């Protein structure tokens, strides 16, 4: 059983033509990683130890506090300790928390999303000390006590909202939001030409353009894309039904592209988190995952342009919307339909305890 699992994972990886590290073959992967859980405890502890008593009060909340579910991806005032109120060492400790749970690629995306606030200041002709477009307005919150289950933490600001919970040595990472405004930097700034969510956009168009007429008719839900992801910042992600074309209806080459599209999202995260999510997708049947499209079928930027797609499985949802600012303002989110904020794990934890 243990060896079969490893071979299956490797074959799928090869089919998707995605270069990732294989799951260790010494044990059956069950989503638990005591090493990562301990590392996350240590890095968050190090951050908290760098704070003053007043800063800790601003940063720490009980795990049961409802603020844990109050998330958003717009510029706004937030609970928690922001970069603006940290010294250099504290900022370094805060970024170490992000670095641990993301892959190098994911960490780079997070850094670049924060840096886009500087681009928006230029594009929108705002002063250097503007607080609406502000790379220092990203806030950290810790829920509960690190190492004492359940506990978790989040970092959130404009276009970045990352949530991590730890329950019985298993870590969840959803909801997980990354956005990019602009989607492609066109202004005369050092970041000109940058496309932070390039793979997430290009891979989707590659899959769309690989479909034949009958497949496209099934995947395409309409000519007009929505102005926002459907699940927005809801506490619990829910869509009425799965729509579009399933992976099971695709040929081998198309399935490979579809898997690469999913992996464009999963490879943002630490390999343990990526592997546990893929194992969950396999468990619930890859052929049951749907791909649906709305809007332009070519990546055009301009007034009236925009596109949207989603990847929707029995327990998993990705939404990607690029309609605002003439199709040059991207919102993307990964949701776990059963365990956002670690809720499913928490339920099992308490049932086991009683």
């Amino acid at each position: 059983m243990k060896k079969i699992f490893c071979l299956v994972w490797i074959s799928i990886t090869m089919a998707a033509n995605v270069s990732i590290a294989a799951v260790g073959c010494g044990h059956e992967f069950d989503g638990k990683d005591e090493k990562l859980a301990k590392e996350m405890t240590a890095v968050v502890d190090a951050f908290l130890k760098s704070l003053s008593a007043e800063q800790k009060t601003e940063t720490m909340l009980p795990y049961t506090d409802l603020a844990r579910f109050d998330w958003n991806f717009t510029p706004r005032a937030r609970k928690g300790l922001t970069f603006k109120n940290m010294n250099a060492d504290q900022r370094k400790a805060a970024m170490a928390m992000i670095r641990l749970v993301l892959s190098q690629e994911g960490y780079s995306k997070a850094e670049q999303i924060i840096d886009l606030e500087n681009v928006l200041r230029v594009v929108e002709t705002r002063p250097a000390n503007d607080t609406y477009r502000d790379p220092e307005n990203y806030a950290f919150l810790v829920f509960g006590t690190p190492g004492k289950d359940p506990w978790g933490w989040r970092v959130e600001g404009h276009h970045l909202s990352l949530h991590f919970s730890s329950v019985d040595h298993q870590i969840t990472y959803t909801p997980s939001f990354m956005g990019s405004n602009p989607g492609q930097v066109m202004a005369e700034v050092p970041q000109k030409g940058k496309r932070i969510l390039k793979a997430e956009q290009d891979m989707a168009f590659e899959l769309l353009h690989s479909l034949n007429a009958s497949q496209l008719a099934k995947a395409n839900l309409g000519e007009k894309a929505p102005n926002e992801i459907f699940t927005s910042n809801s506490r619990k992600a829910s869509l009425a039904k799965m729509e579009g074309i399933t992976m099971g209806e695709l040929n081998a080459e198309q399935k490979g592209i579809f898997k690469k599209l999913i992996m464009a999202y999963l490879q943002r995260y630490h390999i343990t988190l990526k592997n546990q999510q893929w194992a969950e997708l396999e468990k619930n049947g890859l052929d049951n995952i749907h791909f649906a499209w709305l809007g332009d079928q070519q990546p055009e930027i301009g007034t009236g342009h925009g596109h949207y797609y989603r990847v929707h499985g029995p327990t998993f949802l990705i939404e990607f919307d690029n309609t605002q600012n003439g199709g040059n303002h991207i919102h993307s989110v990964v949701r776990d339909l059963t365990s956002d904020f670690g809720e499913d794990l928490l339920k099992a934890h308490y049932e086991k305890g009683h």
Side-chain angles (χ1 to χ4, degrees), residues 332-343:
S332 76
V333 71
V334 181
R335 305 294 300 260
D336 188 313
L337 302 180
T338 61
S339 202
D340 267 356
F341 304 102
E343 290 296 271

Side-chain angles (χ1 to χ4, degrees), residues 66-79 113 132-133 137-139 141 143 154-163 174-179 228-229 231-235 324 329 331-333 335 341:
L66 292 179
R68 196 162 62 88
F69 306 111
D70 179 18
W71 72 285
N72 212 310
F73 42 84
T74 59
R76 67 169 186 172
R78 290 178 156 81
K79 286 188 175 183
I113 289 168
Y132 186 71
R133 303 301 190 190
N137 190 24
Y138 287 78
L141 275 173
F143 300 97
R154 84 158 178 234
V155 55
E156 185 177 275
H158 184 215
H159 280 167
L160 185 68
S161 188
L162 306 177
H163 304 249
T174 59
S176 183
F177 184 99
M178 288 188 175
E228 184 56 276
I229 55 176
T231 55
S232 187
N233 62 326
S234 59
R235 171 173 171 172
Q324 298 177 40
H329 181 152
H331 289 174
S332 76
V333 71
R335 305 294 300 260
F341 304 102

